[in-house]
Amino acid sequence: MFNFQIDIFKLTVMLDKNGIAKRIAQEVKDGYYVNLGIGIPTLVANFVRDDINVEFQSENGVLGMGPFPFEGEEDADIINAGKQTITTLPGASFFDSATSFGMIRGQHVDLTILGAMEVAENGDIANWKIPGKMVKGMGGAMDLVASAENIIVAMMHTNRAGVSKLLKRCSLPLTGVGCVTKIVTNLAVLEVTPAGFKLVERAPGVTVEEIKTATEGHLIVEGSVPEMPI
């Protein structure tokens, strides 16, 4: 659940994708209806506490998703929006896309968890297209970001070249404007505020200075920043 960087002077622990999903699972409350986007967000269902009742919704028409199936127990007819095989919990239901997006557009989803390629300090999100690459379309993300009031983004803090993905302004085509409320990366938990990214928690061993270096957008640091409770 962690990636380690070791030198003579310090031990830095960056979260991997499962670690990010586990931290986001702590944001899921009893009685929530939650939509999980493609990528890291699909892992969140594996880490939700057993003592709360949560309904996971997928825009392809499933309510009541469970954790991913064990190898050999997959049912190819039961999939999420990312075409991954899933399990369903007792009481789960299946329905058409019109009903599914009626739930989303009607604001019946309490929490939306999405992946992103970029997030701006004002809450803009870009997660659907890289110019020059063929894509089928924006898909359900368009409706999710327009309708949801509580959007958490799961993403890596920088790209593979070490360039920040938390920016002053997004450079890629936008999916939504001013809609993101919180971001969980491999380095930190941040809230989107009118003044910029507010640093809430650090990944174990990661320093505030490392997070500042990895964040292009305005970063607000108030007092001592605790480590994530992972």
Side-chain angles (χ1 to χ4, degrees), residues 33-82:
Y33 287 83
V34 181
N35 180 280
L36 300 178
I38 297 170
I40 298 174
T42 61
L43 301 172
V44 173
N46 296 334
F47 299 104
V48 172
R49 287 164 33 200
D50 294 331
D51 62 339
I52 62 175
N53 294 314
V54 179
E55 296 287 348
F56 287 106
Q57 191 254 18
S58 181
E59 59 257 38
N60 61 315
V62 184
L63 185 65
M65 292 190 298
F68 284 120
F70 292 108
E71 186 174 355
E73 298 180 2
E74 303 93 338
D75 184 339
D77 291 325
I78 304 178
I79 61 173
N80 60 21

Side-chain angles (χ1 to χ4, degrees), residues 57-183:
Q57 191 254 18
S58 181
E59 59 257 38
N60 61 315
V62 184
L63 185 65
M65 292 190 298
F68 284 120
F70 292 108
E71 186 174 355
E73 298 180 2
E74 303 93 338
D75 184 339
D77 291 325
I78 304 178
I79 61 173
N80 60 21
K83 300 180 176 61
Q84 298 168 302
T85 55
I86 58 172
T87 62
T88 55
L89 301 176
S93 57
F94 302 91
F95 36 84
D96 61 19
S97 291
T99 302
S100 178
F101 281 93
M103 295 176 184
I104 293 167
R105 294 169 184 168
Q107 297 186 318
H108 302 293
V109 176
D110 299 294
L111 174 62
T112 296
I113 304 170
L114 297 173
M117 292 178 280
E118 294 177 347
V119 175
E121 62 186 34
N122 67 341
D124 293 353
I125 180 174
N127 77 343
W128 75 282
K129 184 178 182 180
I130 297 176
K133 292 193 175 183
M134 178 67 71
V135 294
K136 294 180 180 179
M138 190 179 292
M142 171 176 58
D143 297 87
L144 289 164
V145 299
S147 305
E149 295 182 351
N150 189 9
I151 298 175
I152 297 178
V153 169
M155 64 187 296
M156 294 298 170
H157 211 102
T158 62
N159 63 21
R160 294 179 181 177
V163 177
S164 180
K165 297 166 71 172
L166 276 64
L167 309 174
K168 297 181 184 299
R169 292 290 181 267
C170 292
S171 63
L172 297 173
L174 295 182
T175 310
V177 175
C179 56
V180 176
T181 55
K182 184 173 286 188
I183 307 159

Side-chain angles (χ1 to χ4, degrees), residues 179-194:
C179 56
V180 176
T181 55
K182 184 173 286 188
I183 307 159
V184 180
T185 77
N186 54 320
L187 299 182
V189 177
L190 308 102
E191 292 178 352
V192 177
T193 75

Side-chain angles (χ1 to χ4, degrees), residues 197-217:
F197 299 117
K198 180 180 178 181
L199 183 58
V200 178
E201 295 171 3
R202 303 173 288 115
V206 175
T207 67
V208 171
E209 288 303 316
E210 288 172 319
I211 297 167
K212 286 181 178 178
T213 300
T215 307
E216 182 204 275

